[in-house]
Amino acid sequence: MAVSRLSQIFEPTVDNGNSEWWKQHPCPHSSSWGLHTIKERDHRMLKNKIANSTHFTNHMIVETHIYRAFLEYPVGDFHMKERSNPSEALRFLQSAEDYTNDTHVCTIEGRIGYGIVINAFRMWIDSIDEFSSKLEKLLKERDVYPSSESFVTATHAYILSKLGPRWFKECIRLYSRVLRSFPGNTEWRFELARMVGKETRELRLALDIQRPSPGFIRKGFEEERDLLRSVLSRKPNFHYARALFGQALYFLSWKDSNAGRQIGEAFEMEPTNPEICIIFARYHRRKGSMDRALEVLNTHVNSTDAEIHSQLGYLYRKMGFKRENRYTEYMELALTHFKRAVKLNNCHYPSISSVAEITALLVTTGETALVKDRKEESEDSLKGMFRMFRDDPSDQFSTVEFTAIKQGIEKDFFGVTFGQSEVIRLSYRCVTLAMRILRKYKEKIGSGDLVSCMNNMIRRPTKYLEDLTHEEDPEIRSLATLNLAHVYRIAGRFDEAEQLYDDLPDGAGVVCGQAELYLSKGRGYALQHSRLAEKFLQKSLELTDKLNRSNGTGERSPNELYADIYLAKAEFNMRTDYSSPRYTIEEWMKCSTAVNLTKAISHNSLEACYLFLRYMPSVGNNFFSPGVPQMLARIASVCRSDDCIHSDFLVDTGPVVIQVDAAIKEFILSEVRKATEYDASVYPSSGTFGPVFKMLGMLRKDRLDFEKLLLGADEGRWQDQLQNALIAVLRTARETLDAVIAVCQESLMEPPLPSNSMFVVTFDWNEGIANPIKARKDVAKWAAKVFKGLKKLPEELCTRVEEMQPMFDDDNLWLIGLTSFNNVLKHRRSGLVFGETFPLQLKKPEDDPKCKKLFTRCIVQRSCEEVEKFVFFCAERYGGGGSPE
């Protein structure tokens, strides 16, 4: 009897399950895998690469099939219907599953781990019962074989390894982790070696390091060498690994004859393998044997692999510089192959840059008739490339862009293509990219080499700007001085930057630069001199206010600067705020850290959202504390915005380090969702009060939905979405009160139970004032009816119900609003202001002097708080069952 009666009460509000439960399990469509941010233009490149990679035919077979399924049914910015081929994706997934079911080649852990990824992916394509039941079975098996998780992680790492430099560090971390569980897996060890080598070569290219290599570069190549040596000891016929091993030896010592011997042996065994051919040709080109390199590459001259033609372009360009009598001939050939590479892969950025560079160089040496056309061609190539970089604000190709700009300035071919103003801006861009690369690799470089690396990277663009500060043209001189001030600022030369800013006429660019200068100084002094840090941050805030008042925008918008400043203030306050004992949630909301994080969040700072949730005390039973639901709603709003800033940071969740904004947003939203849930160890969903805690969870969810809508309320939405969300909150709160009484009846009484379980609400509308004596009498009558048959009425419960009554205390009129929520329908949006909602009239005519008016914000806030307190009160006293003594 009790169960059916409670189920009727709870039916409107209890969530009976998640029909999309499979979305929580790992596969390429999981947001935590970081694949949502891939651009549409990269899709062709990815398919082209794997189609031309020969060693994938017998290496990482399951991972390759899953990856190819992903390319047929992608997710993210290029998930377009015309690009999706679900039947082909399912075919690749079936091939992967067939391989895992072969017990001779796949262990039981592999079958489970790969199977989870395969069937979770299948559910995204077609959520049929067959795939669902397979996934459920595999998840149960995973509990028996927890090490199967390593195969999930390896699949994740493999796919990330195809997506460019941004993911090298994460791939290295993931492969290192799975090898701790399966140290004998040579495929994973080889992939780890490839990632270490790629990252080291990218860093060497970015820093423009010549021999001898500094220690941190040598360390990377030594690690690659040792890993590949280990792979070859187990698989001596893995010729591609041998070629990479020889290449690592060459980078460690260009005089090491064993390097050429290893590469030559690999080439001799697989002369048609294009990847080995590229390593072989690149080795001979560097050693000066250009004719031998050309002979090898020409065997693949009809290849559809863009990298082959790119290597031919580099080879002909070097031959042009070395053999000056045939300079134009070789440069033309180089240009032809670079263009062929771009045609095959329109995202082959090194080739795009080389097309622009060689075209510009040929302008100064070619025939007069071709100069104009080539100048336009060079300009189109460069502008097209820089436009692609701007469309991808991540550091995915920052090394390529930095190298392209640095070479353009050093070789002075930008002057052929662009005017001085554009080259000035590119020089500053070059320096910002250099600093981004250094930040990315600062742990690997180490503090000892960081300054020398920075000076080496920015020396040429800085010198170019310094020279132009003496230019006769005042416009060019002023622009160069402003950009030089920016360069000095980001390089830490604050006094020189300040002097240059002071010498410039007042303007948006100067004010913005000064604001950033003081922000940088504030951050720099944060650990050394707190008063100076506060002074500089305040000065930065004043300059940003000035920029905002003038409606000006310099290098960055006032909104971004405000977010930067408040985030810096919050980080500065963390040191002092967390030297004291742990805060309660109420104290946290008022502390300096939380206040400044809140301000940064109001300017759409994603990192501030993360820090707020990270340092906020556990919500526990304080979800409805003033400001908490509103803050969580604001955080959710930022995560759903396309205009959030401060997304370039890492989130270490333990098993995964998240570094893509889409995945970070999903992680933050999951933390917000967790805040609406109750700790199952303290508030179990089973047992006497379990259903009531489920209702409280629904009340938290309803309240959060209401706050989200309230943030974006406008004239068109108030009458439908916001109104319905408000009614949902009030209805759930009221039903929860009734449900508590029903549960108390079951805990205190024996069947049969009274049919009346409604929570009492008493108020004298004629008097319109509190009357505690009458409230006690009314509650006593109600209790005698509701708890009929008890020898002794639950005195504590009766007292608590009395004190909640409007008749007991005028401050409890929220309860009247809770029972009169249908009056919401009679009101309009006109009374709504930010942070408040319209007044709710309580039954009596508005012109009656005794008429009571409540604001909806008050009703919502107080009712949620008081209902939750009442549930905890009853659960603490009657949750164990039995009757009172």
Side-chain angles (χ1 to χ4, degrees), residues 55-248:
H55 84 272
F56 292 117
T57 55
N58 57 3
H59 174 76
M60 301 287 276
I61 294 172
V62 179
E63 291 90 341
T64 300
H65 279 92
I66 294 172
Y67 172 53
R68 298 194 78 160
F70 166 70
L71 293 179
E72 298 299 334
Y73 194 80
V75 66
D77 292 344
F78 63 95
H79 188 185
M80 303 161 64
K81 287 184 179 179
E82 59 269 25
R83 288 185 175 270
S84 294
N85 189 342
S87 60
E88 190 69 4
L90 289 171
R91 186 181 71 80
F92 278 122
L93 292 174
Q94 184 61 53
S95 298
E97 186 178 65
D98 292 344
Y99 190 84
T100 65
N101 289 332
D102 186 343
T103 56
H104 292 95
V105 295
C106 192
T107 63
I108 188 169
E109 291 95 340
R111 179 183 62 78
I112 295 167
Y114 290 135
I116 289 172
V117 177
I118 290 166
N119 286 286
F121 193 173
R122 281 168 164 168
M123 291 290 285
W124 282 89
I125 301 172
D126 189 0
S127 53
I128 60 176
D129 291 341
E130 178 191 354
F131 302 152
S132 176
S133 59
K134 281 185 177 182
L135 181 57
E136 287 178 348
K137 182 181 177 182
L138 288 162
L139 291 170
K140 291 177 182 176
E141 290 183 283
R142 181 186 62 183
D143 296 336
V144 182
Y145 295 94
S147 58
S148 60
E149 187 67 28
S150 294
F151 293 84
V152 175
T153 304
T155 307
H156 182 195
Y158 177 81
I159 296 178
L160 289 182
S161 72
K162 309 302 168 198
L163 306 182
R166 184 179 187 185
W167 294 104
F168 289 166
K169 184 176 181 180
E170 177 65 356
C171 289
I172 291 169
R173 195 184 76 86
L174 293 176
Y175 277 126
S176 298
R177 194 174 82 198
V178 298
L179 281 168
R180 287 195 288 269
S181 300
F182 294 90
N185 191 309
T186 53
E187 289 189 330
W188 297 351
R189 191 170 295 276
F190 172 73
E191 287 297 315
L192 174 60
R194 280 205 322 132
M195 290 299 101
V196 169
K198 280 189 171 187
E199 183 184 54
T200 306
R201 288 192 294 276
E202 189 207 21
L203 182 56
R204 180 178 177 274
L205 173 66
L207 301 182
D208 194 21
I209 291 173
Q210 306 301 323
R211 292 185 285 271
S213 298
F216 61 89
I217 294 292
R218 288 191 59 82
K219 185 178 178 182
F221 286 129
E222 286 168 356
E223 185 180 356
E224 181 190 19
R225 176 200 63 192
D226 294 344
L227 286 165
L228 290 169
R229 181 181 285 146
S230 175
V231 170
L232 289 169
S233 68
R234 293 178 173 90
K235 296 179 71 173
N237 293 326
F238 194 173
H239 305 302
Y240 181 46
R242 188 170 300 283
L244 289 173
F245 177 64
Q247 182 176 252

Side-chain angles (χ1 to χ4, degrees), residues 1 10 46 48 74 130 147 193 203 309-310 334 342 370 419 460-461 516 531 548 553 605 652 709 721 758 809 868 881:
M1 177 181 176
F10 301 143
L46 296 171
N48 177 275
E130 178 191 354
S147 58
L203 182 56
H309 293 281
S310 179
V342 174
L370 297 174
R460 187 63 186 88
E516 289 214 65
R531 287 187 179 180
N548 194 35
T553 299
S605 168
D652 192 346
L709 287 171
Q721 291 173 289
M758 300 290 286
D809 188 344
E868 187 174 57

Side-chain angles (χ1 to χ4, degrees), residues 818-838:
L818 199 62
T819 59
S820 309
F821 61 80
N822 284 332
N823 284 352
V824 169
L825 301 173
K826 300 176 183 178
H827 291 275
R828 296 194 303 272
R829 162 69 174 77
S830 56
L832 177 68
V833 293
F834 182 77
E836 188 52 87
T837 46
F838 56 79

Side-chain angles (χ1 to χ4, degrees), residues 753-869:
L753 302 176
S755 59
N756 187 347
S757 62
M758 300 290 286
F759 186 89
V760 65
V761 182
T762 67
F763 189 66
D764 188 336
W765 286 99
N766 292 322
E767 293 298 327
I769 58 174
N771 187 336
I773 296 173
K774 189 174 186 306
R776 289 192 186 96
K777 290 179 180 179
D778 289 345
V779 171
K781 289 178 185 178
W782 166 81
K785 186 186 297 183
V786 171
F787 297 99
K788 186 177 181 180
L790 279 184
K791 292 181 181 179
K792 184 177 181 181
L793 292 176
E795 187 175 335
E796 280 185 312
L797 179 61
C798 290
T799 300
R800 187 73 176 82
V801 173
E802 286 170 12
E803 292 172 350
M804 292 171 69
Q805 297 303 311
M807 282 292 285
F808 189 87
D809 188 344
D810 272 332
D811 195 37
N812 292 333
L813 287 176
W814 60 269
L815 193 53
I816 293 293
L818 199 62
T819 59
S820 309
F821 61 80
N822 284 332
N823 284 352
V824 169
L825 301 173
K826 300 176 183 178
H827 291 275
R828 296 194 303 272
R829 162 69 174 77
S830 56
L832 177 68
V833 293
F834 182 77
E836 188 52 87
T837 46
F838 56 79
L840 188 65
Q841 182 179 324
L842 301 183
K843 292 186 178 179
K844 296 176 77 65
E846 191 172 354
D847 56 357
D848 189 321
K850 295 180 181 178
C851 172
K852 298 290 180 182
K853 271 192 176 182
L854 296 178
F855 279 96
T856 306
R857 167 66 71 191
C858 176
I859 298 171
V860 170
Q861 180 65 40
R862 286 295 308 282
S863 61
C864 290
E865 283 185 277
E866 296 297 334
V867 167
E868 187 174 57
K869 288 178 185 176

